[in-house]
Amino acid sequence: MRRFLWILSLTLVAAQVQAQPAVVYQKIAIAADHPAASEAGLEVHRAGGNVVDVAAAVGFALSVVRPESSGLGGGGFMVIWDAEQGKSIAIDYRERAPAAATADMFLDQEGNLLAELAQAGPKAAAIPHHVAGLCHAVRKYGKLDLKAVLAPAVRLAKNGVPLDEHSTAIRLQTLAKFEKRPEWKEEFEPFYRLYLQNGVPFEAGQIVTSPQAELLEKIAAEGSAGFYDGPAAEAFAREMRRVGGIISEEDLRTARPTEREAITASYDDGMIVTMPPPSSGGVALIESLNILTAFEQRHPELSAALHDGDDLLFRHVLTESMKHAFADRATYLGDPDYAEVPTARLVSPEYAAKLAAKIDIHRTKPLEEYGRTSPTRDGGTTHFSVIDAAGNAVACTETINLGFGSYVVIPETGLLLNNEMDDFAAKPGVPNAFGLVQSEAAAVGPGRRPLSSMTPTIFVRDGKAVLAVGASGGPRIITATMQVFLNAVRFGMPAQAAIDAPRQHHQWLPNELLVEPPLWTSSRAGLEAYGHDVAKEPSLAASQLVLKDEAGLHAASDPRKGGKPAGE
Ligand code: GLY
């Protein structure tokens, strides 16, 4: 069930890119993938909130306006730069596998993968950590109380929001899937009733309220206890028992975010700050960027071409860096609390130099030339970025995995659950819904966190954040984040141009180079001459970027998903 394809295919690329007026802000800039979410952040800033309060307000608002992408039943990663202290904070509030999870829970007796079990229904859901993560961030690093931070989300949930084109298209496509699988209407009855309005077709512009309004109010009043303890948790566990899920009250009571040391790396005249495992995004981003740098050091005569985003050689070397990084992702990455993950080695310049030396400037290579293992066989996500005039920033990516997650809804609270269990290697070596192959390091196990591609990233110069970026779109998150970063930092593009520019993606397996239509037109033949198997893809991920320069603060939301920034 490759549900991500239909999610990504409905967002179109350059042909539909509409120029947004470039506004320069002086106090705060927020880029989210829904205008109401960016506005929610601005409202909380005006109420005296700092960048963390603003980010949490955006995260809670997105749970209302983009329930197909993220929400209370999911999880995320938040990277914070505190300019006053000169330090970074990485909050891991990724979902965890329930205590009763086992490595073979998605295999039949012959050991075959039961892919649908990991993608739809109660066993697909991992323990939600979204509420725990955002409440922790506000309590420890925010200035406001939760009631103020949640106020815009509660209002949006109760009053409703007009459906935009993206959400309308996702809902219509989900309805069409339910028409093809009519038994799902009964199996996922609460979802069908509360989120798909019992099969009545959606129209763009219609006002939709959130079934989770009361739950949001409860969290505003009681904090995370309103979610993980008491009646909401009891209703959750009761429904799990009824439908055959394995998340228990104890799993909910013990849900906590984890603070981790962010990965940092020098780049150009600044420092990249990004998310460590269980995200693969930060490692893959730094590894790929390091390979580009090392390749240029080996070939100074090619420097001009490597600094020209339109140059075919640049596109080829970029692809090679992606193939190396994704091959290592498949081999080494998983939850660092349970598996040996060689993060320091993978992000080291010495390792990048070895990989750069393998790049043939004329031709790509067979798959087995990348990574250590020979290949066997091999969304619903949202990102937002916030930056303020003092150089504080938050980059935050949240997810329920595929569009509308597991389709499991707790009837009493309207809570929609993720299907993050599919981000584990349900069967190591066999691809998941994103076509990603992963190793034993990412196998299912009780309490483990599934490997992620989310790549919330900040760039710091002279102790101040000057860029915050990330994306949604499964593994394409990593390559989109990298290209937007390069567009802004290496090529000096303005924020909106950096976001709008056509993108490419290679994840090692499957062995194909995906390019958006403008690149297909301009570069297909040239890239094929390097030996790449090039395929056209209407849209590759949705990214949100904020920048700070002498003129002020700039923000750009990705037209591929219809977001709009806010600021002042
Ligand atoms: N659920 C998508 C990711 O975390 O990569």
Side-chain angles (χ1 to χ4, degrees):
M1 186 168 44
R2 294 167 71 95
R3 248 196 281 165
F4 72 102
L5 286 178
W6 57 258
I7 295 167
L8 295 172
S9 64
L10 52 81
T11 47
L12 294 177
V13 152
Q16 288 197 352
V17 167
Q18 281 156 20
Q20 296 181 5
V23 183
V24 184
Y25 305 108
Q26 298 304 330
K27 294 182 181 162
I28 187 101
I30 306 149
D33 65 23
H34 193 291
S38 299
E39 287 295 330
L42 183 56
E43 180 180 329
V44 163
H45 169 72
R46 287 178 176 152
N50 65 13
V51 288
V52 176
D53 298 312
V54 167
V58 174
F60 280 120
L62 284 165
S63 75
V64 174
V65 298
R66 289 265 185 251
E68 66 273 15
S69 298
S70 71
L72 310 182
F77 297 134
M78 182 183 287
V79 175
I80 304 169
W81 179 255
D82 179 337
E84 199 180 320
Q85 309 264 340
K87 70 166 195 177
S88 59
I89 300 133
I91 306 177
D92 168 4
Y93 52 106
R94 181 82 165 151
E95 303 89 330
R96 277 183 192 276
T102 57
D104 60 357
M105 65 186 280
F106 299 116
L107 304 181
D108 67 12
Q109 284 180 341
E110 281 77 49
N112 301 312
L113 177 65
L114 302 167
E116 193 167 295
L117 202 62
Q119 292 170 19
K123 292 210 170 60
I127 308 161
H129 277 64
H130 185 273
V131 176
L134 292 186
C135 291
H136 171 85
V138 171
R139 255 194 332 267
K140 192 158 171 194
Y141 301 108
K143 280 166 63 183
L144 299 182
D145 63 21
L146 272 173
K147 203 164 178 194
V149 168
L150 273 128
V154 169
R155 198 183 57 244
L156 290 166
K158 285 173 135 180
N159 296 350
V161 192
L163 275 190
D164 70 353
E165 274 179 34
H166 177 84
S167 285
T168 311
I170 295 276
R171 281 167 199 245
L172 288 174
Q173 293 192 34
T174 309
L175 265 178
K177 286 177 76 74
F178 273 63
E179 287 311 320
K180 280 204 192 119
R181 299 282 299 268
E183 72 278 11
W184 278 7
K185 294 180 189 175
E186 201 178 323
E187 191 179 341
F188 302 121
E189 188 279 329
F191 173 72
Y192 190 63
R193 176 165 45 88
L194 294 172
Y195 286 86
L196 296 182
Q197 54 189 16
N198 262 331
V200 178
F202 291 91
E203 281 176 30
Q206 86 173 78
I207 306 289
V208 174
T209 54
S210 169
Q212 304 181 86
E214 276 183 31
L215 187 55
L216 281 163
E217 272 187 311
K218 216 167 155 45
I219 297 163
E222 299 171 28
S224 56
F227 184 93
Y228 295 100
D229 271 319
E234 284 158 23
F236 189 135
R238 199 165 47 241
E239 182 65 1
M240 282 285 104
R241 285 191 292 273
R242 190 184 75 78
V243 297
I246 56 170
I247 299 176
S248 68
E249 274 156 297
E250 182 62 10
D251 284 330
L252 294 171
R253 231 187 336 268
T254 52
R256 300 278 182 281
T258 305
E259 289 204 7
R260 300 189 184 275
E261 200 175 320
I263 304 178
T264 57
S266 301
Y267 183 85
D268 200 7
D269 57 350
M271 177 177 72
I272 298 172
V273 181
T274 187
M275 194 70 206
S279 176
S280 64
V283 172
L285 173 79
I286 306 265
E287 183 176 332
S288 311
L289 289 170
N290 281 348
I291 292 171
L292 285 185
T293 303
F295 184 83
E296 190 179 341
Q297 282 162 356
R298 279 183 73 81
H299 296 282
E301 75 284 4
L302 301 176
S303 190
L306 294 170
H307 282 264
D308 177 355
D310 293 328
D311 196 288
L312 280 174
L313 178 69
F314 168 73
R315 292 273 155 205
H316 167 63
V317 177
L318 184 66
T319 308
E320 296 300 291
S321 76
M322 291 173 178
K323 287 175 78 172
H324 281 296
F326 272 92
D328 284 340
R329 181 195 194 281
T331 307
Y332 298 111
L333 294 189
D335 183 342
D337 296 341
Y338 295 87
E340 197 74 30
V341 180
T343 301
R345 183 166 71 82
L346 296 176
V347 301
S348 71
E350 296 74 25
Y351 182 62
K354 283 188 192 146
L355 297 182
K358 290 180 166 186
I359 294 177
D360 180 334
I361 58 170
H362 301 296
R363 217 153 163 90
T364 192
K365 295 185 173 176
L367 284 181
E368 51 277 14
E369 301 280 333
Y370 305 80
R372 190 189 59 184
T373 51
S374 56
T376 43
R377 281 175 29 83
D378 182 28
T381 301
T382 185
H383 175 84
F384 52 94
S385 303
V386 183
I387 195 162
D388 73 10
N392 301 296
V394 174
C396 187
T397 317
E398 299 183 330
T399 185
I400 53 169
N401 199 23
L402 305 181
F404 284 117
S406 63
Y407 301 147
V408 175
V409 166
I410 309 304
E412 289 89 338
T413 57
L415 177 70
L416 171 63
L417 296 182
N418 68 83
N419 60 348
E420 222 67 65
M421 294 296 279
D422 192 61
D423 272 350
F424 281 113
K427 178 168 180 170
V430 176
N432 68 6
F434 294 112
L436 287 167
V437 183
Q438 303 176 153
S439 70
E440 293 286 349
V444 184
R448 291 188 182 198
R449 290 187 149 120
L451 185 59
S452 173
S453 296
M454 296 188 289
T455 316
T457 298
I458 294 172
F459 191 52
V460 176
R461 266 195 207 111
D462 302 326
K464 309 257 187 257
V466 293
L467 170 151
V469 68
S472 54
R476 296 138 186 228
I477 290 173
I478 298 171
T479 51
T481 302
M482 179 188 182
Q483 288 165 90
V484 174
F485 176 88
L486 287 170
N487 290 345
V489 175
R490 189 180 181 103
F491 305 135
M493 289 184 185
Q496 195 64 54
I499 287 284
D500 292 351
R503 300 198 272 260
Q504 66 176 67
H505 172 77
H506 202 303
Q507 62 183 53
W508 181 59
L509 279 175
N511 188 10
E512 60 184 3
L513 173 59
L514 303 179
V515 297
E516 291 183 332
L519 275 180
W520 173 263
T521 309
S522 66
S523 309
R524 177 192 170 190
L527 290 168
E528 282 176 348
Y530 283 98
H532 298 293
D533 190 353
V534 187
K536 182 159 67 168
E537 186 72 11
S539 170
L540 291 170
S543 178
Q544 320 296 325
L545 170 70
V546 291
L547 295 175
K548 175 175 167 350
D549 62 17
E550 300 76 36
L553 307 171
H554 312 262
S557 289
D558 203 320
R560 295 166 180 81
K561 199 172 171 183
K564 188 171 171 215
E568 65 179 4

